[in-house]
Amino acid sequence: MKKVAGLSHWLHLIYLGNLLWAPIFDPATDWVDWALVAVVAVAFVPMYVLARQRPDRVRWWCLVPTVVLGSLTTPFNTGAAVLFVYAAVFAGLSESRRVAMRWFVALTALICLFGVVSVVEMPYRLWGLLPSLIFLWLIGILEVEWSERSREAAELRIRTARIEHLATLAERERIARDLHDLLGHTLTAIVLRAQLVAADPARAKEEAAEIERTARAALGEIRDAVTGWRSASLETELEAARAALSSLGVEVTVRRDPGLVIVSSTEHELALALREAVTNVARHAHARTCHIGVEARDGELRLVVADDGVGGHAPEGNGLTGMRERIAALGGLVARTVSAGTTVTIAVPLKVAT
């Protein structure tokens, strides 16, 4: 198709044959007339080729020189008015619709002027000018339409490529966050249970079985995270948090509004945020108690994880950063306060959460 389109562009040069009518049929033709035809052809063809190869240079390297060449030649050979048709094509190729129309009007005015000022006798003068006047508008408008469609198609391709790129980045970030949340929580649980095995050999068999169960569950969750099928449950994460912290000797209190029904997409993000917050308690807090609350208040769904551990003002890691990104996507906020322990408050608008 591209070869056919390229060939058709070259075939359009055949219209330069309009330059030949005057010297062929005028009995008074001499070598000067033939030389004028040759000069016009030699001067115009490179501009035509450049217009097809470098559309960004059409206005000053092709359009304006073609108009000048046509203005100098048409008074002596009205067939040269075909150059104004080519100029209209160049305008449609390189200019916006509004600017191209202004060029068409200006070219029409030039042809009308040469209808009055020309050395070519009537009616041959009109026979040379009228076809170019008509085709100037017909072909010029077609070129404008084609150029606009081409530009729109190019813009659509660019927008599509950008959307695909952003979608790829978003998917990579999702997988990275999910893997961080999964591996951070699971590896912490495995490490803690391995420490219990070392501290209490009598529990070795029980803890080893629990480590195996946790590892197998983690493998399944990682597969689901990569394929995008995983959907975390807040109830499951609350039970897991209670079990994990209790095994460390942390007293866990869970308070949840029983009448609160959360949509699955929001529940998934809240469950992962809870997992990250509990993992941080298990890793860093050295707490004795931990309070977890899920309730509706002031138009918000709030998930609060508060411990009485060591607190501290250490910089936030990837886990809290990922949590903020997840909740921000829901229109919510994550607040972390540190005093006698650490409190993480996750707030999501109720209209999003329920």
Side-chain angles (χ1 to χ4, degrees):
M1 292 298 294
K2 290 183 178 180
K3 291 182 178 180
V4 172
L7 181 61
S8 67
H9 289 323
W10 286 106
L11 289 176
H12 292 161
L13 286 172
I14 196 173
Y15 297 111
L16 286 176
N18 285 336
L19 292 164
L20 300 176
W21 297 116
I24 288 176
F25 292 102
D26 187 353
T29 297
D30 57 17
W31 68 271
V32 175
D33 298 307
W34 289 105
L36 182 63
V37 171
V39 168
V40 171
V42 170
F44 175 73
V45 170
M47 289 188 286
Y48 182 85
V49 174
L50 181 63
R52 294 301 175 184
Q53 300 297 324
R54 296 295 302 271
D56 56 310
R57 296 188 176 184
V58 168
R59 174 183 288 184
W60 299 110
W61 291 68
C62 306
L63 175 54
V64 172
T66 298
V67 173
V68 172
L69 184 62
S71 299
L72 295 175
T73 311
T74 302
F76 308 100
N77 183 338
T78 53
V82 72
L83 294 175
F84 297 132
V85 179
Y86 285 111
V89 172
F90 294 158
L93 178 65
S94 62
E95 308 292 345
S96 66
R97 175 182 290 269
R98 177 178 297 180
V99 175
M101 290 299 177
R102 291 174 181 173
W103 275 100
F104 296 168
V105 172
L107 294 171
T108 300
L110 279 175
I111 291 179
C112 292
L113 174 64
F114 294 132
V116 178
V117 181
S118 175
V119 299
V120 179
E121 296 179 357
M122 291 288 189
Y124 306 107
R125 183 188 307 178
L126 296 180
W127 292 352
L129 296 176
L130 283 178
S132 295
L133 180 61
I134 295 171
F135 283 107
L136 180 158
W137 284 93
L138 291 178
I139 298 177
I141 290 175
L142 288 175
E143 185 67 28
V144 168
E145 297 291 341
W146 181 86
S147 297
E148 286 186 343
R149 287 197 297 269
S150 297
R151 284 192 287 267
E152 289 172 358
E155 291 174 359
L156 179 60
R157 287 194 296 271
I158 292 173
R159 287 197 298 268
T160 302
R162 287 176 178 171
I163 291 171
E164 291 177 351
H165 177 67
L166 292 174
T168 300
L169 291 179
E171 183 64 8
R172 287 176 180 173
E173 290 176 358
R174 182 195 67 79
I175 292 174
R177 287 195 300 265
D178 284 3
L179 290 179
H180 176 274
D181 293 343
L182 288 171
L183 293 177
H185 173 80
T186 304
L187 292 178
T188 297
I190 291 174
V191 168
L192 293 175
R193 292 190 179 280
Q195 291 173 344
L196 291 175
V197 169
D200 188 358
R203 298 178 57 183
K205 184 175 181 180
E206 178 184 346
E207 294 299 336
E210 187 63 26
I211 289 173
E212 179 183 3
R213 187 197 66 77
T214 302
R216 290 184 182 279
L219 286 174
E221 289 182 324
I222 289 172
R223 294 190 189 100
D224 292 344
V226 171
T227 56
W229 293 343
R230 183 170 60 95
S231 180
S233 164
L234 189 58
E235 193 64 37
T236 300
E237 290 302 325
L238 287 171
E239 291 300 322
R242 191 195 303 271
L245 294 178
S246 296
S247 68
L248 298 175
V250 180
E251 182 182 347
V252 181
T253 302
V254 177
R255 183 179 67 257
R256 180 175 181 180
D257 186 344
L260 196 58
V261 179
I262 307 173
V263 298
S264 59
S265 58
T266 302
E267 183 178 9
H268 172 77
E269 302 300 339
L270 289 175
L272 293 180
L274 172 62
R275 176 178 294 190
E276 176 61 28
V278 171
T279 299
N280 287 338
V281 173
R283 281 179 176 174
H284 310 299
H286 305 292
R288 292 176 297 175
T289 63
C290 179
H291 301 277
I292 303 174
V294 182
E295 60 183 351
R297 182 187 300 175
D298 300 330
E300 294 179 332
L301 172 64
R302 295 185 183 179
L303 169 62
V304 180
V305 180
D307 66 72
D308 64 350
V310 297
H313 296 279
E316 295 184 0
N318 291 332
L320 274 173
T321 300
M323 184 193 301
R324 292 188 187 280
E325 291 174 352
R326 289 179 183 280
I327 301 305
L330 299 174
L333 295 172
V334 176
R336 175 175 174 256
T337 57
V338 179
S339 54
T342 301
T343 300
V344 175
T345 302
I346 302 160
V348 177
L350 271 178
K351 62 183 181 180
V352 175
T354 58

